[in-house]
Amino acid sequence: MARYFGTNGVRGRIDELTPELARRLSQATGAYFKGGKMLLARDCRLTGEVLHDAAVAGLASAGCDVMDIGIASSPTAEFMVKKLKADGCVIITASHNPPEWNGLKVVDASGVAVSKERGEDIEALLDKPAGGGKAGKVTRHESATDEHIGEIVRHVRTGRIKKKKPKIVIDCGNGTAALIAPKLLKCLGCVILSLNSHMDGRFPGRPSEPSEANVKDLIALVKSSNADAGIAWDGDGDRVIFVDERGGYVIGDKVYALSILWKAARLKTQNSKPAGDVVTTVATSKAVEDVAKTLNLKTRYTAIGAPYLSEEVARGGAFMGGEEVGGVIWPESSLAKDGFLTAAKLAEALCEKPLSEWLKEVPVYFNVKIKLEADAKAKEEMVARVKAETRKRKLKTIEVDGVRVNFKDSWVIVRASGTENYVRIFAEAKSEAEAKRLVQEYGGIARG
Ligand code: MG
């Protein structure tokens, strides 16, 4: 079992993820990447500077040459790993967690984040001799954000956006999105209004997770300013959600479904057809699979967690990757979720028709979530009971993470939480009553 690495790298408050632990983990990470060339970035949290310095010490003492890109969004760092041909990358970030949290996200040479399992291999190298008595050198690389903007611009038709000038309200949540989003959207030709668009590691404007409740100001400003859309990112900019021109919140799964439609629409203008599979996690709305089906694409499901999603896209044959919380992978640019390329694609799509019109192409489902208290042993037993019952009933299931049962117009997943003492049950159906019925039925089966 990994002691420090979870699904999304190492996370903790400064008394848990101390500078000393950050140095030791970074040294082990440097050893894991065999003293190669390492990229280093951080988000704007207040503890970022001290953890950054600890990471520099750890990596360089493992013999790594460190290319420090400074404060940058996670998608920027993940894109730059490939561009600068680094052997790996450490990003000091806690994504959407509250401001007192921070974390270490480790990314490999292809831009894929290290999972809990690979994290165990890093932990096995903790406090082992590394670097052979030689420290690597540290260099600064100042232009990462501009290089990332240059990459994104290459993937959208800026001419159309400059002509149409869509009016977009952005809410950077005081995170690293503030460093790139305003500049990118201006450069694309959008008219922008901005909220919380200066970096502040205390996240004074709103909590960092772009949930519907947290982006009320954005929704209000989209409506009062008659804007074409609103966009909000999480703290490190890999996740993105939209608001349509009527003030409707567009949840993460729908952002992914729309992205699939937009990529297919662009290919059509090039007389080309979408190819490959749509990759997503078992917690994602069936709307994604439905949209994929209309384009004759198959859907491949992965365990929940960005590293698993990226690993599956990296295996090849993927049209796109995406997860339910609004993270979209555009494999033509990067194997990591990129909330800014996704935002640029929205600007391009608005040149064709309003966002609410695009949303008509995404099927509507209702969902219901419950959680049942259970300790580690009970969690296992509950999931096993559901698996046994679905086998007995000969139902269609996916068992990469708990058990997801697929019906014609609905599905339900029963899975053990990785971090808390709960079994989570989540159902989606064409009516709320049916979704409720499913969670109750499967809750009953789980309890035994
Ligand atoms: Mg994030």
Side-chain angles (χ1 to χ4, degrees):
M1 264 300 262
R3 182 161 171 218
Y4 302 110
F5 274 85
T7 315
N8 291 298
V10 183
R11 298 254 176 105
R13 295 182 182 86
I14 196 73
D15 56 347
E16 299 153 347
L17 178 56
T18 60
E20 178 54 15
L21 179 59
R23 185 200 60 75
R24 289 170 59 217
L25 284 165
S26 300
Q27 188 182 45
T29 300
Y32 177 80
F33 288 105
K34 300 188 166 41
K37 213 158 83 165
M38 293 293 291
L39 197 94
L40 180 64
R42 71 173 176 97
D43 72 14
C44 59
R45 285 162 195 274
L46 300 183
T47 53
E49 194 163 7
V50 61
L51 293 176
H52 163 274
D53 291 355
V56 169
L59 290 169
S61 67
C64 296
D65 283 340
V66 181
M67 288 180 292
D68 183 6
I69 65 168
I71 299 180
S73 76
S74 293
T76 301
E78 286 154 337
F79 164 70
M80 291 304 288
V81 180
K82 265 166 70 188
K83 179 148 194 229
L84 294 176
K85 298 191 171 63
D87 295 296
C89 168
V90 173
I91 309 171
I92 317 280
T93 180
S95 187
H96 60 276
N97 284 24
E100 61 274 18
W101 286 70
N102 216 327
L104 294 185
K105 181 176 183 182
V106 179
V107 177
D108 72 14
S110 54
V112 175
V114 161
S115 61
K116 208 184 201 167
E117 292 75 16
R118 289 162 88 193
E120 263 176 54
D121 298 338
I122 293 177
E123 288 181 21
L125 299 168
L126 270 172
D127 307 319
K128 298 260 166 70
K134 263 194 195 158
K137 48 176 204 301
V138 182
T139 51
R140 308 253 182 277
H141 188 92
E142 309 281 353
S143 56
T145 296
D146 286 340
E147 288 174 63
H148 187 203
I149 290 176
E151 162 70 10
I152 293 171
V153 168
R154 217 166 59 75
H155 291 280
V156 286
R157 286 166 290 178
T158 49
R160 303 189 75 197
I161 305 172
K162 287 199 164 97
K163 221 157 123 196
K164 182 87 179 176
K165 299 186 182 62
K167 184 170 166 185
I168 297 178
V169 187
I170 58 171
D171 179 349
C172 298
N174 305 111
T176 43
L179 204 60
I180 175 168
K183 202 169 173 183
L184 167 69
L185 291 168
K186 262 184 223 158
C187 166
L188 289 174
C190 302
V191 175
I192 64 163
L193 276 91
S194 60
L195 278 171
N196 308 316
S197 291
H198 64 283
M199 281 194 292
D200 186 330
R202 295 166 301 161
F203 303 145
R206 65 161 165 90
S208 195
E209 170 135 40
S211 63
E212 185 168 4
N214 290 344
V215 299
K216 288 279 179 256
D217 292 347
L218 172 68
I219 292 170
L221 189 52
V222 168
K223 286 202 266 190
S224 66
S225 65
N226 286 319
D228 296 302
I231 309 178
W233 294 266
D234 74 333
D236 65 333
D238 53 358
R239 281 168 49 185
V240 62
I241 60 86
F242 302 144
V243 175
D244 73 18
E245 76 282 7
R246 294 170 181 167
Y249 178 80
V250 184
I251 201 166
D253 326 74
K254 287 195 177 174
V255 168
Y256 183 31
L258 289 167
S259 300
I260 296 166
L261 287 171
W262 296 338
K263 184 166 166 179
R266 174 77 194 272
L267 285 171
K268 206 173 168 190
T269 66
Q270 296 163 329
N271 286 322
S272 180
K273 271 189 183 160
D277 296 340
V278 162
V279 179
T280 195
T281 79
V282 283
T284 299
S285 170
K286 193 165 181 293
V288 167
E289 190 178 325
D290 291 353
V291 163
K293 225 178 238 169
T294 64
L295 299 165
N296 289 321
L297 301 176
K298 276 203 308 211
T299 302
R300 249 193 272 165
Y301 286 98
T302 74
I304 298 163
Y308 305 118
L309 186 76
S310 286
E311 280 172 6
E312 191 58 42
V313 173
R315 267 183 205 117
F319 180 61
M320 293 186 84
E323 57 177 7
E324 69 287 357
V325 288
V328 182
I329 299 173
W330 303 81
E332 58 272 42
S333 174
S334 165
L335 293 176
K337 302 175 286 179
D338 189 336
F340 306 107
L341 181 47
T342 311
K345 294 283 183 176
L346 166 69
E348 185 182 53
L350 290 175
C351 298
E352 202 167 312
K353 57 189 177 191
L355 187 50
S356 64
E357 288 293 314
W358 278 110
L359 281 163
K360 287 182 183 161
E361 295 180 41
V362 180
V364 176
Y365 285 93
F366 295 88
N367 60 59
V368 175
K369 286 176 195 184
I370 58 165
K371 53 185 186 183
L372 307 177
E373 266 183 53
D375 60 19
K377 189 165 164 266
K379 281 198 278 192
E380 250 177 60
E381 287 168 357
M382 284 170 134
V383 173
R385 253 182 238 127
V386 175
K387 281 185 184 170
E389 184 62 25
T390 54
R391 268 180 216 135
K392 209 164 95 190
R393 295 188 192 177
K394 295 194 171 63
L395 297 173
K396 275 189 196 160
T397 59
I398 303 169
E399 298 190 0
V400 289
D401 194 344
V403 54
R404 170 166 165 151
V405 195
N406 284 329
F407 304 100
K408 190 172 170 287
D409 282 323
S410 60
W411 60 276
V412 57
I413 187 169
V414 179
R415 63 183 288 270
S417 163
T419 48
E420 291 171 290
N421 281 335
Y422 291 117
V423 162
R424 295 183 189 280
I425 305 182
F426 178 55
E428 199 183 57
K430 284 285 177 193
S431 72
E432 197 169 357
E434 176 58 12
K436 257 190 201 151
R437 194 197 64 74
L438 275 171
V439 293
Q440 272 155 12
E441 182 188 352
Y442 280 81
I445 296 171
R447 282 194 203 96

